[in-house]
Amino acid sequence: MSTTATIVNPARSVAGRFGAYGGRYVPETLMAALEELEAAYNAAREDAAFQAELDDLLRNYCGRPTPLYFAKRLTEQCGGAKIYLKREDLLHTGAHKINNALGQGLLARRMGKHRIIAETGAGQHGVATATVCALLGMECVIYMGEEDMRRQELNVYRMRLLGAEVRGVAAGSATLKDAINEAMRDWVTNVRTTYYILGSALGAHPYPTMVRDFHRVISREAKAQMLEREGKLPTAIVACVGGGSNAIGAFYEFLGDKNVQLIGVEAGGRGPKLGEHAARFQKVDGGVPGVLQGTYSYVLQDENGQVATTHSVSAGLDYASVGPEHAMLHDTGRATYTSCTDDAALKATVTLSRTEGILPALESAHAVAEAIRLAPTMAKTDVLMVNLSGRGDKDMGILSRELKIQGV
Amino acid sequence: MAIEFKKKPGIVAYLTAGDPDLAATREIALAAIDNGADVIELGVPFSDPLADGPVIQRASERAVARGTRLVDVLALAKELRAARPSAGLVLFSYLNPVVRMGMRTFTERAAEAGADGVLLTDMIVEEAGEYLEAMHANKLAPVFLAAPTSPDARLKAIAEVSQGFVYAISRVGITGTQQKVASDAPELVARLRKFTKLPIAVGFGISTPEHVRAVGEFADAAVIGSALVALIEKTGADGAAAAVGKFIREVRG
């Protein structure tokens, strides 16, 4: 990969670096707010009362711990490693996103901010944020690309029902990246009164660290559950990677366990050509280190540094950059990143639905597809854990259109 | 160093390079200089201009769609330098196109083109180590932004690393015109003044002769951006240079 693009001098840099990646590349107007946020987050992290309230709500409002489910029929069908599903899809609002939205919502309240903004791709982060705002009695504005609003109309309705204002974004490809631009414009304008609940492990420091910390609970639980059930750690963990929040949550507590393989699955979209996918770590026509939306990470872009358009059947993976911690894990080889096409994800959706009666979100289906591919190549004594990041109810519209084409 | 504001307040004219096309940007820039602009801020169009309002977003989108590249903007800068040796010339960009070219290569080419300075809108002082080294090595002036939300300690750091001038953002928000210059500006300039003798230019929302006069009361120069870009959008390539020239003459007073 290109090394000429390195722009950082880590010795001088602010905190929030993952190797060369991360940092803070934002308009000056936001700097004071990011510093305030960093200080508030550091204080909250050390505050037992804050953590106790978060734990209580995660348990009694969101439904943690989520089960670790042995997918017996899927395992039998694949004929190899035992496949377990970490059931984040069973959380309140139907995806892992609530872990982070709740954490940041409590932080916003602690900071005395009552106007909340957020961006959303698939709508799951928007729904989670709208839910938390309702719970805490806060004003909520959600930015969403118009293309994503069309793809995920059910979630748009859910957000509005919860009392949030959903603002459509027509610029660019009208997807997640454009929604983040618009949320950042709002934040730049209203920074004195507004808290921005960023929805993935990306953006300027401290967001990648903070969002990861709020999702660590996934791997903390999974580790204990796996030891209890199997008496050993999993051979491999598979998770889908858009911005990368569910994946970093599922990986984090296993980073030190070098014999546990960590596999991130990106959106392979319609194919490997730039513009047809969102596979930032793909070798040819993939991403190059650069700066997008506040952080230094792999970015899908043309040779002149213009950010490329992306495509994925799943709105939540349809993003041109990736969280900086994943960029580091990729470069160091601690995690490997593969991709899965739209078609394979749709097929995996059907397979999981019919073998286990579990309808995965299209995002999660990318991880399921990789597990289905991988399990037969592994021994029966191996254990494969899939982080099932969300449920597929939101995707009914798109599934009914896409699967009709496929003759299902 | 050609960044100089001879008459107060000075005028910094921002143009999105390649909107409507590069040849037109050249003519518009020349007209702006010939009618009294002290500094041309030549904007590198970018796909994701997150600090900009709708006017500059649209201009950026048009220029990117036409295939305007950073190398083209550097070539345009070189032409402008040759045509008007004494005008101030600052390249304005989001980071990613610059990072893609490579910071060293970019600064070398900017210097070779004859640019006086560079402003990177998403580069903050804490991250600027290698950028500043490359700028110094090529005798280019790094222009940094100061915001009304920046506490004094940040203003001090910004003042210390800036050269040429410091760009004071008149209000919290994105670029775009408004009725009045926000009341944030005088206070910010006064705070900034404690830390620097450099000229201070005020931008964001400056679109009329009255705005420019008001800025002249408390700062050294006014940056006019969205108002020019909107004018160019309205007139199209043919009338843009004349319209911008007239506009600059009017605000110059």
Side-chain angles (χ1 to χ4, degrees), chain A residues 71-376:
Chain A
K72 186 162 176 282
R73 292 194 65 223
L74 182 66
T75 298
E76 281 165 3
Q77 182 172 318
C78 291
K82 291 175 84 169
I83 301 172
Y84 280 86
L85 305 175
K86 179 62 176 162
R87 299 291 307 276
E88 294 297 290
D89 63 313
L90 289 179
L91 279 174
H92 181 46
T93 72
H96 73 290
K97 295 289 187 187
I98 191 79
N99 300 324
N100 170 56
L102 183 61
Q104 289 199 52
L106 292 178
L107 186 60
R109 190 186 63 187
R110 189 185 156 96
M111 293 171 72
K113 310 255 181 176
H114 294 285
R115 180 176 185 269
I116 302 293
I117 57 169
E119 84 298 330
T120 196
Q124 293 303 91
H125 175 58
V127 168
T129 301
T131 299
V132 168
C133 288
L135 176 71
L136 301 177
M138 292 166 154
E139 182 191 349
C140 182
V141 175
I142 306 287
Y143 290 93
M144 191 170 187
E146 287 184 351
E147 165 67 13
D148 289 340
M149 287 178 75
R150 191 185 60 74
R151 288 197 278 189
Q152 302 288 351
E153 54 181 297
L154 193 60
N155 271 343
V156 174
Y157 184 72
R158 286 171 78 190
M159 286 181 262
R160 289 180 172 151
L161 190 61
L162 288 160
E165 180 192 341
V166 181
R167 292 188 187 166
V169 179
S173 52
T175 59
L176 181 57
K177 169 174 78 81
D178 311 292
I180 295 178
N181 284 341
E182 215 50 46
M184 288 187 78
R185 288 188 182 107
D186 183 317
W187 201 31
V188 171
T189 305
N190 301 297
V191 63
R192 286 170 171 139
T193 59
T194 296
Y195 184 103
Y196 179 13
I197 300 189
L198 210 133
S200 198
L202 42 85
H205 177 64
Y207 281 107
T209 301
M210 180 169 68
V211 175
R212 176 252 278 155
D213 288 352
F214 285 133
H215 287 304
R216 280 174 75 163
V217 63
I218 302 170
S219 48
R220 197 179 301 138
E221 285 175 9
K223 200 167 189 174
Q225 289 167 325
M226 199 56 88
L227 287 170
E228 189 190 318
R229 299 282 287 282
E230 288 287 329
K232 62 180 182 185
L233 297 179
T235 315
I237 296 169
V238 183
C240 64
V241 182
S245 67
N246 90 86
I248 204 66
F251 292 171
Y252 195 70
E253 299 287 338
F254 294 96
L255 284 179
D257 303 307
K258 301 292 184 204
N259 51 354
V260 178
Q261 292 175 53
L262 306 174
I263 301 164
V265 187
E266 300 185 285
R270 286 185 287 247
K273 203 165 149 260
L274 188 66
E276 298 290 305
H277 62 83
R280 289 70 40 108
F281 296 125
Q282 182 177 293
K283 278 204 173 66
V284 178
D285 270 6
V288 171
V291 173
L292 181 64
Q293 296 171 333
T295 195
Y296 180 60
S297 185
Y298 281 64
V299 180
L300 290 166
Q301 51 180 301
D302 70 13
E303 60 195 26
N304 300 300
Q306 302 296 346
V307 178
T309 55
T310 52
H311 166 79
S312 171
V313 70
S314 60
L317 302 185
D318 198 356
Y319 182 61
S321 187
V322 62
E325 196 161 8
H326 287 290
M328 180 187 75
L329 295 176
H330 171 266
D331 281 11
T332 60
R334 179 63 193 95
T336 52
Y337 295 84
T338 61
S339 67
C340 155
T341 62
D342 288 352
D343 284 349
L346 289 163
K347 282 201 187 85
T349 303
V350 176
T351 302
L352 190 66
S353 298
R354 294 185 180 179
T355 53
E356 299 292 348
I358 296 171
L359 179 62
L362 274 171
E363 289 75 19
S364 315
H366 285 68
V368 174
E370 176 64 15
I372 291 170
R373 192 191 67 76
L374 203 58

